[in-house]
């Protein structure tokens, strides 16, 4: 799974995000080159190293996402099918809802079961839930922002359809959703 991050300090610029992603990948490669080990280099070795690198990225003190802005913070979750996006959204909503008013948005218009799963998660963790019969995910997100403003949500967590990065249509869909978010007043893509 991945979280699309566009911090207000950097501006709302996808190129900046891509450069940040490239920096993370570059750092990972450099760290991999610099390790010394007597272990046989196998798939398990790489997976173990990757797990440690990800854990170190997630536990660093300088990696914080500020949800204290005046605007509604929007977190958009994307990733490949079956990677745990829905469960991650539920757990993330549970953590954030301890301090902020959260709304989960079902913008995966391809998988009807996702709507049901997200609704169960929203009830389980006690947060608001939004879905629409509209088949255009960007329209669903647009409507969810209106709803979030009306009910005074602090954070919106958006579930998107599973996708691979090489599926141009689905990647364009994410760009369209991002543009819809950026054009709204009172919201910030976090």
């Amino acid at each position: 799974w991945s979280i699309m991050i566009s911090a207000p300090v950097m501006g709302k610029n996808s190129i900046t995000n891509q450069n940040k992603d490239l920096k993370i990948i570059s750092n990972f490669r450099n760290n991999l080159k610099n390790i010394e080990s007597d272990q046989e280099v196998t798939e398990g070795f790489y997976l173990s190293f990757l797990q440690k690198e990800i854990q170190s990225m997630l536990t660093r003190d300088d990696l914080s996402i500020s949800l204290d802005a005046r605007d509604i913070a929007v977190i958009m979750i994307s990733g490949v099918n079956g990677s745990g996006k829905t469960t991650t959204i539920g757990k993330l909503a549970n953590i954030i809802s301890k301090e902020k008013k959260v709304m989960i948005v079902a913008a995966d218009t391809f998988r009807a079961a996702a709507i049901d799963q997200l609704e169960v998660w929203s009830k389980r963790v006690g947060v608001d839930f939004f879905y629409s019969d509209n088949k255009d995910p960007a329209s669903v997100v647009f409507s969810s922002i209106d709803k979030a403003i009306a009910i005074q949500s602090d954070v919106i967590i958006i579930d998107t359809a599973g996708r691979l990065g090489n599926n141009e249509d689905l990647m364009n869909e994410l760009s369209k959703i991002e543009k819809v978010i950026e054009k709204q007043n009172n919201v910030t893509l976090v």
Side-chain angles (χ1 to χ4, degrees):
W1 56 271
S2 66
I3 299 178
M4 297 185 68
I5 299 173
S6 178
V9 175
M10 293 185 278
K12 295 177 180 176
N13 184 339
S14 295
I15 299 299
T16 304
N17 295 335
Q18 290 171 359
N19 290 339
K20 186 175 182 180
D21 292 343
L22 291 174
K23 183 178 178 185
I24 290 169
I25 292 167
S26 176
N27 287 344
F28 174 77
R29 285 183 180 156
N30 289 335
N31 290 343
L32 187 59
K33 286 178 189 176
N34 293 329
I35 63 169
E36 294 182 24
S37 175
D38 294 334
Q39 283 185 301
E40 181 181 351
V41 179
T42 63
E43 182 178 337
F45 176 84
Y46 282 114
L47 291 175
S48 174
F49 181 77
L50 178 60
Q51 182 180 18
K52 289 175 187 169
E53 285 293 305
I54 291 171
Q55 187 174 21
S56 73
M57 283 189 279
L58 294 174
T59 57
R60 288 185 16 209
D61 291 337
D62 62 334
L63 293 177
S64 63
I65 297 173
S66 176
L67 302 177
D68 294 328
R70 293 177 304 179
D71 295 344
I72 297 171
V74 178
I75 302 171
M76 183 166 47
I77 307 293
S78 66
V80 298
N81 292 329
S83 61
K85 292 181 301 296
T86 305
T87 302
T88 300
I89 288 168
K91 291 178 178 182
L92 192 57
N94 186 43
I95 292 167
I96 296 171
S97 69
K98 291 178 180 14
E99 296 181 19
K100 302 287 181 183
K101 185 171 181 180
V102 176
M103 181 171 73
I104 294 175
V105 177
D108 180 350
T109 59
F110 295 107
R111 195 169 73 88
I115 295 170
D116 296 335
Q117 289 174 313
L118 288 169
E119 187 171 23
V120 167
W121 268 109
S122 68
K123 288 178 182 174
R124 185 181 298 163
V125 301
V127 300
D128 294 305
F129 176 68
F130 181 88
Y131 78 97
S132 169
D133 291 330
N134 193 319
K135 296 300 178 196
D136 175 36
S139 295
V140 172
V141 170
F142 181 86
S143 298
S144 74
I145 292 170
D146 286 344
K147 176 72 173 183
I149 291 169
I151 64 172
Q152 298 181 331
S153 294
D154 299 310
V155 179
I156 303 171
I157 305 174
I158 302 171
D159 179 39
T160 64
R163 66 198 72 232
L164 294 174
N166 62 359
N167 185 319
E168 190 173 340
D169 291 338
L170 289 176
M171 296 310 289
N172 288 338
E173 180 182 278
L174 283 181
S175 294
K176 184 178 174 185
I177 292 170
E178 187 176 1
K179 287 176 186 170
V180 164
I181 294 167
E182 290 175 349
K183 288 181 180 179
Q184 298 295 312
N185 292 325
N186 305 320
V187 297
T188 300
L189 185 60
V190 180

